[in-house]
Amino acid sequence: MMDYFRPKKQNILDPLDPNFLKRKPAGFSQSPDPEPEQTPRQGDLAPTSIFEEGGDPKEPTPRHGPKQKRRSRPATRDPAVLAAALDPNPEVRQRWQRKKIIQEVRSRGQITKAQKIARTERESLCKSQFYKTSIKKLMPLARQIAGKPIEEAIIQMRFSKKRVASDVKKHLEYARDEAIVKRGMGLGMVQREADPAAELENTDGTRAEDGEGNQQLPGMVVEDKKGKRRFVSDTSSIYIDEAWIGRGPYGVDYDFRARGRTNILRPPETSITVRLKEEATRIRLMEEREEKRQRRKVWVALPDRPVTAQRQYCLW
C-alpha cells in the first residue's frame, strides 16, 4: 500500500482527542512538585518570627528543614533615602536656621517671657469632633468644666443629666490621655512613687509633716483667677484652663407632614475645645496677681498733686 493512504501525524493538538489533556506541548518540562508549606501547629511560632531562634524546649528537633531557607535580614537604612522624608527641602531649612540665628544674635541670647514660659511649662490643646447639638446646649457644660481639675470635670460630666455630657466626658478622657502621652503632663505623682526615698517638701521649701511628725504629701492652697481656693497636692496635676465651643456646619433633616408636605430642618453641629495645663502654671499666675496687688498704690480721696496753670487773679 502506498504511503499517501496512511494518516500522517499532526503536530497540532486536537481538543477532540481523548488524550488531549494528557499530552504536553513540545518543549514543555515539568518542574518537580514544590514542597508543601509547613502548617504551624497550635501555639507554634511562624517561620519568619523573630523569636524563632530560641527554639521550642518541648521539641528538640529543628523546625526548619535543610531545604527551607530563611528570609534574609533587611538592609541597613540609607541616610540618602531617609533624607527625602526627613529633610525634603534643605534650602528652606537652611534659611529658617539662618533666620533664627540672626534673631538670637540681635536679642543677645535673651529670651522673652512667653518663650521662657513655653520652655518651662506644659500645656495641651485638644479639639473634639462636631456633636449634633446647639451652642445654647453645649455652652453651659463648657462653663461648668472650665477651671476644674480634669478628674473632677470628668466626674461632673459623668453624673450630668445633659445628653451631650457623655460625649464631653469621652472627649475629656481622650484629652487627658493625649496630654499624658504627648506632653508628659501629670507624671509628678508617678515619679514620686518611683523614688520613694525623696523627701517630700511644700512649695515654700518646708517639709510636709502632720502634727505628729509623720511625712505627708506636699500641698498648698491655690487661688484661681475667679477667686476660688483649691488645695493642690501635686503641682504637675492637670486642670482645664479654658474651654470654649465652636460652631460647625448645619446638617439637613426632613420633617414629613400631612398632605404630602415636607419641612426641611437644619440641625446644628457644635464642637468643644479644651486647653489643659498643670497646676504649676496656676501657682505662677497666683503669685503674679499677688505681686501686682502688692505694688498697687493706696487710693486716697484727695491726692497731693502739684498746682499748675494757676493765675494770681480771676478771669472774670
Side-chain angles (χ1 to χ4, degrees):
M1 185 179 291
M2 301 181 69
D3 293 341
Y4 57 86
F5 288 105
R6 296 178 182 178
K8 296 182 180 180
K9 295 183 179 180
Q10 297 181 358
N11 295 331
I12 301 176
L13 299 178
D14 188 6
L16 300 179
D17 190 355
N19 297 328
F20 173 76
L21 299 178
K22 297 180 181 180
R23 296 179 181 177
K24 302 296 181 181
F28 178 80
S29 62
Q30 184 177 2
S31 60
D33 296 337
E35 295 183 2
E37 297 183 359
Q38 185 178 2
T39 305
R41 297 180 292 102
Q42 184 176 4
D44 194 7
L45 296 175
T48 58
S49 176
I50 61 175
F51 303 102
E52 180 63 23
E53 297 179 0
D56 191 358
K58 298 182 180 179
E59 186 179 357
T61 58
R63 299 175 190 160
H64 299 284
K67 297 182 180 180
Q68 189 175 3
K69 297 182 180 180
R70 297 186 181 181
R71 295 184 180 180
S72 60
R73 294 184 179 180
T76 57
R77 297 183 178 181
D78 188 3
V81 177
L82 296 177
L86 301 179
D87 192 9
N89 198 339
E91 297 180 357
V92 176
R93 176 183 54 81
Q94 293 176 2
R95 287 200 302 266
W96 181 82
Q97 291 178 349
R98 180 175 179 273
K99 177 182 177 181
K100 291 301 177 182
I101 293 174
I102 293 174
Q103 291 179 357
E104 186 176 0
V105 171
R106 288 179 177 177
S107 62
R108 299 181 180 180
Q110 299 179 358
I111 60 177
T112 61
K113 181 180 178 181
Q115 293 176 347
K116 184 178 180 180
I117 292 174
R119 294 181 181 182
T120 56
E121 299 178 2
R122 299 184 179 94
E123 69 173 44
S124 177
L125 187 68
C126 186
K127 180 182 178 181
S128 69
Q129 60 183 355
F130 289 110
Y131 303 129
K132 292 185 178 181
T133 184
S134 62
I135 293 178
K136 184 178 180 181
K137 297 177 181 177
L138 193 57
M139 179 59 77
L141 297 181
R143 293 174 179 170
Q144 182 179 356
I145 64 177
K148 289 184 173 60
I150 186 66
E151 300 297 338
E152 183 179 348
I154 292 175
I155 294 175
Q156 291 283 339
M157 296 296 100
R158 176 184 175 186
F159 294 100
S160 178
K161 296 182 181 180
K162 303 291 185 180
R163 185 180 62 178
V164 74
S166 60
D167 297 332
V168 176
K169 173 179 170 294
K170 294 179 182 179
H171 175 62
L172 293 179
E173 293 174 350
Y174 174 80
R176 176 196 59 188
D177 299 341
E178 185 183 28
I180 293 174
V181 174
K182 290 187 176 181
R183 304 296 182 182
M185 301 170 61
L187 300 178
M189 192 65 67
V190 177
Q191 296 175 358
R192 189 178 295 112
E193 293 177 356
D195 189 9
E199 185 177 358
L200 301 178
E201 296 182 354
N202 292 322
T203 53
D204 55 355
T206 60
R207 182 170 178 174
E209 296 180 353
D210 56 1
E212 300 178 358
N214 299 325
Q215 198 171 7
Q216 289 183 341
L217 291 176
M220 64 177 301
V221 179
V222 181
E223 181 181 357
D224 58 5
K225 54 186 177 182
K226 294 183 180 180
K228 188 175 181 180
R229 297 179 179 270
R230 300 177 183 273
F231 179 79
V232 177
S233 60
D234 185 12
T235 56
S236 66
S237 57
I238 306 174
Y239 78 98
I240 302 176
D241 182 63
E242 294 177 301
W244 65 89
I245 61 176
R247 188 189 301 274
Y250 286 87
V252 178
D253 199 358
Y254 302 97
D255 182 19
F256 299 99
R257 306 296 296 177
R259 297 185 180 182
R261 297 180 180 179
T262 304
N263 298 333
I264 298 178
L265 306 179
R266 303 301 302 274
E269 295 183 2
T270 315
S271 66
I272 183 171
T273 308
V274 293
R275 187 190 303 274
L276 305 182
K277 294 185 179 181
E278 293 182 340
E279 291 291 345
T281 303
R282 184 141 58 180
I283 294 174
R284 177 185 59 83
L285 295 176
M286 182 190 68
E287 294 175 353
E288 290 179 356
R289 287 194 300 268
E290 185 64 25
E291 293 178 0
K292 185 177 180 181
R293 192 179 298 112
Q294 295 295 336
R295 292 194 304 266
R296 187 182 302 170
K297 296 181 179 179
V298 180
W299 181 85
V300 292
L302 297 176
D304 297 335
R305 289 194 291 263
V307 179
T308 58
Q310 297 292 331
R311 295 180 174 87
Q312 60 183 356
Y313 52 86
C314 298
L315 298 179
W316 61 79

